Amino acid sequence: SDGSIRLHQMTSEYPLMQWNDSTNGQPIIALQWALTRPAVFFVLDASSNIYIWDLLENDLMPVAKETIPSENVVTMALLGEPEKTNGLLGIALARESGQIDIQYIKKKWAVP
């Protein structure tokens, strides 16, 4: 609820990494690992901002932030086929009105 993210290993109750205030204090609505690139994950906050984290590029902060204009995004889901190396990765965004947007992610964050 405060925008902090913790990365845990299953064998320990303590996080390997913790990023406090990663969304400028906005609650996190959804977080999902990229299906095609293991070190990348996406975060959606309550202000309809999407943060892209690439831990191989920068493990201190997101490498990109995208604000979704107009109405609020209430959830997101990533689309892709992990067994394929074509680098196609999409993100489905569900808006408050019920509209669904599907966008493709840049290959630099999708290619294994």
Side-chain angles (χ1 to χ4, degrees), residues 6-9 12 14-18:
R6 292 185 188 122
L7 176 65
H8 284 268
Q9 184 175 1
S12 174
Y14 302 104
L16 294 172
M17 297 282 294
Q18 181 169 329

Side-chain angles (χ1 to χ4, degrees), residues 3-101:
S4 63
I5 299 171
R6 292 185 188 122
L7 176 65
H8 284 268
Q9 184 175 1
M10 296 297 287
T11 57
S12 174
E13 65 182 281
Y14 302 104
L16 294 172
M17 297 282 294
Q18 181 169 329
W19 300 276
N20 294 322
D21 200 31
S22 66
T23 58
N24 297 318
Q26 289 295 314
I28 294 172
I29 303 298
L31 186 150
Q32 190 171 351
W33 287 97
L35 301 170
T36 57
R37 188 174 170 104
V40 174
F41 64 92
F42 297 79
V43 176
L44 171 66
D45 75 11
S47 294
S48 297
N49 296 305
I50 297 174
Y51 302 84
I52 302 172
W53 289 76
D54 184 343
L55 299 179
L56 296 178
E57 185 177 326
N58 187 341
D59 65 356
L60 299 176
M61 61 178 45
V63 293
K65 175 185 172 186
E66 183 71 31
T67 301
I68 307 300
S70 67
E71 67 179 295
N72 287 340
V73 175
V74 294
T75 195
M76 70 172 183
L78 292 176
L79 313 165
E81 297 178 87
E83 62 278 355
K84 292 192 177 175
T85 58
N86 59 8
L88 282 178
L89 181 65
I91 187 168
L93 305 170
R95 298 179 182 264
E96 246 176 1
S97 66
Q99 179 183 0
I100 306 262
D101 293 338

